[in-house]
CSV table of all heavy atoms in Angstrom, one decimal:
chain,number,residue,atom,x,y,z
A,78,GLN,N,17.9,12.7,26.1
A,78,GLN,CA,18.3,13.5,24.9
A,78,GLN,C,18.4,15.0,25.3
A,78,GLN,O,18.6,15.8,24.5
A,78,GLN,CB,17.3,13.2,23.8
A,78,GLN,CG,17.2,11.8,23.4
A,78,GLN,CD,18.4,11.2,23.0
A,78,GLN,OE1,19.1,11.6,22.1
A,78,GLN,NE2,18.7,10.0,23.7
A,79,GLY,N,18.0,15.3,26.6
A,79,GLY,CA,18.0,16.7,26.9
A,79,GLY,C,16.9,17.5,26.4
A,79,GLY,O,16.9,18.8,26.3
A,80,ILE,N,15.8,16.8,26.1
A,80,ILE,CA,14.6,17.4,25.5
A,80,ILE,C,13.5,17.5,26.6
A,80,ILE,O,13.2,16.4,27.2
A,80,ILE,CB,14.1,16.8,24.4
A,80,ILE,CG1,15.2,16.8,23.2
A,80,ILE,CG2,12.8,17.4,23.8
A,80,ILE,CD1,14.8,16.0,21.9
A,81,GLN,N,12.8,18.6,26.9
A,81,GLN,CA,11.7,18.7,27.8
A,81,GLN,C,10.5,17.9,27.1
A,81,GLN,O,10.2,18.2,25.9
A,81,GLN,CB,11.3,20.2,28.0
A,81,GLN,CG,12.4,20.9,28.9
A,81,GLN,CD,12.3,20.6,30.3
A,81,GLN,OE1,11.3,20.1,30.9
A,81,GLN,NE2,13.5,20.8,30.9
A,82,ALA,N,9.8,17.2,27.9
A,82,ALA,CA,8.7,16.4,27.2
A,82,ALA,C,7.6,16.3,28.5
A,82,ALA,O,7.8,16.1,29.5
A,82,ALA,CB,9.0,15.0,26.8
A,83,VAL,N,6.4,16.4,28.0
A,83,VAL,CA,5.2,16.3,28.9
A,83,VAL,C,4.2,15.4,28.3
A,83,VAL,O,3.8,15.5,27.2
A,83,VAL,CB,4.7,17.6,29.2
A,83,VAL,CG1,3.5,17.5,30.3
A,83,VAL,CG2,5.7,18.6,29.8
A,84,LEU,N,3.6,14.5,29.1
A,84,LEU,CA,2.5,13.7,28.6
A,84,LEU,C,1.2,14.5,28.9
A,84,LEU,O,0.8,15.1,29.9
A,84,LEU,CB,2.3,12.4,29.6
A,84,LEU,CG,3.5,11.4,29.3
A,84,LEU,CD1,3.4,10.3,30.4
A,84,LEU,CD2,3.4,10.7,28.0
A,85,ILE,N,0.3,14.6,27.8
A,85,ILE,CA,-1.0,15.4,27.9
A,85,ILE,C,-2.0,14.7,27.2
A,85,ILE,O,-1.8,13.8,26.4
A,85,ILE,CB,-0.8,16.7,27.3
A,85,ILE,CG1,-0.6,16.8,25.8
A,85,ILE,CG2,0.3,17.6,28.0
A,85,ILE,CD1,-0.8,18.2,25.1
A,86,ASP,N,-3.3,15.0,27.7
A,86,ASP,CA,-4.4,14.6,27.1
A,86,ASP,C,-5.2,15.8,26.8
A,86,ASP,O,-5.8,16.2,27.8
A,86,ASP,CB,-5.1,13.4,27.8
A,86,ASP,CG,-6.6,13.2,27.2
A,86,ASP,OD1,-6.8,13.7,26.1
A,86,ASP,OD2,-7.4,12.5,27.9
A,87,SER,N,-5.2,16.4,25.7
A,87,SER,CA,-5.9,17.7,25.4
A,87,SER,C,-7.4,17.7,25.7
A,87,SER,O,-7.9,18.7,26.3
A,87,SER,CB,-5.5,18.2,24.1
A,87,SER,OG,-4.2,18.5,23.9
A,88,ARG,N,-7.9,16.7,25.4
A,88,ARG,CA,-9.3,16.5,25.5
A,88,ARG,C,-9.9,16.6,27.0
A,88,ARG,O,-10.9,17.1,27.3
A,88,ARG,CB,-10.0,15.3,24.8
A,88,ARG,CG,-9.7,15.3,23.3
A,88,ARG,CD,-10.2,13.9,22.8
A,88,ARG,NE,-9.5,12.8,23.4
A,88,ARG,CZ,-9.9,11.6,23.1
A,88,ARG,NH1,-10.8,11.2,22.4
A,88,ARG,NH2,-9.2,10.6,23.7
A,89,LYS,N,-9.1,15.9,27.9
A,89,LYS,CA,-9.5,15.9,29.2
A,89,LYS,C,-8.8,16.8,30.1
A,89,LYS,O,-9.0,17.0,31.3
A,89,LYS,CB,-9.3,14.5,29.8
A,89,LYS,CG,-10.1,13.5,29.1
A,89,LYS,CD,-9.8,12.1,29.7
A,89,LYS,CE,-10.7,10.9,28.9
A,89,LYS,NZ,-10.3,9.6,29.4
A,90,GLY,N,-7.6,17.5,29.6
A,90,GLY,CA,-6.9,18.4,30.3
A,90,GLY,C,-5.8,17.7,31.0
A,90,GLY,O,-5.0,18.6,31.8
A,91,THR,N,-5.5,16.6,30.9
A,91,THR,CA,-4.5,15.9,31.7
A,91,THR,C,-3.1,16.4,31.3
A,91,THR,O,-2.8,16.6,30.1
A,91,THR,CB,-4.5,14.4,31.4
A,91,THR,OG1,-5.7,13.8,31.7
A,91,THR,CG2,-3.4,13.7,32.1
A,92,GLY,N,-2.2,16.8,32.3
A,92,GLY,CA,-0.9,17.2,32.0
A,92,GLY,C,-0.7,18.7,31.6
A,92,GLY,O,0.4,19.3,31.6
A,93,LEU,N,-1.9,19.4,31.4
A,93,LEU,CA,-1.7,20.9,31.0
A,93,LEU,C,-1.1,21.7,32.0
A,93,LEU,O,-0.4,22.7,31.7
A,93,LEU,CB,-3.2,21.4,30.6
A,93,LEU,CG,-3.8,20.7,29.4
A,93,LEU,CD1,-5.1,21.4,29.1
A,93,LEU,CD2,-3.0,20.6,28.3
A,94,LYS,N,-1.4,21.4,33.3
A,94,LYS,CA,-0.7,22.2,34.4
A,94,LYS,C,0.7,22.1,34.5
A,94,LYS,O,1.5,23.0,35.0
A,94,LYS,CB,-1.4,21.8,35.9
A,94,LYS,CG,-2.8,22.1,35.8
A,94,LYS,CD,-3.4,21.8,37.3
A,94,LYS,CE,-4.9,22.1,37.4
A,94,LYS,NZ,-5.3,21.8,38.7
A,95,GLU,N,1.2,21.1,33.8
A,95,GLU,CA,2.7,20.8,34.0
A,95,GLU,C,3.4,21.7,32.8
A,95,GLU,O,4.7,21.8,32.8
A,95,GLU,CB,3.1,19.3,33.8
A,95,GLU,CG,2.6,18.5,34.8
A,95,GLU,CD,2.8,17.0,34.6
A,95,GLU,OE1,3.8,16.7,34.0
A,95,GLU,OE2,1.9,16.1,35.0
A,96,ILE,N,2.7,22.1,31.9
A,96,ILE,CA,3.3,22.7,30.7
A,96,ILE,C,3.9,24.1,30.9
A,96,ILE,O,5.1,24.2,30.4
A,96,ILE,CB,2.3,23.0,29.5
A,96,ILE,CG1,1.9,21.6,29.1
A,96,ILE,CG2,2.8,23.8,28.3
A,96,ILE,CD1,0.7,21.7,28.0
Side-chain angles (χ1 to χ4, degrees):
Q78 304 303 304
I80 298 175
Q81 293 284 331
V83 178
L84 291 169
I85 68 168
D86 171 11
S87 297
R88 295 175 303 172
K89 298 178 182 176
T91 305
L93 297 186
K94 291 181 180 178
E95 299 176 32
I96 293 174

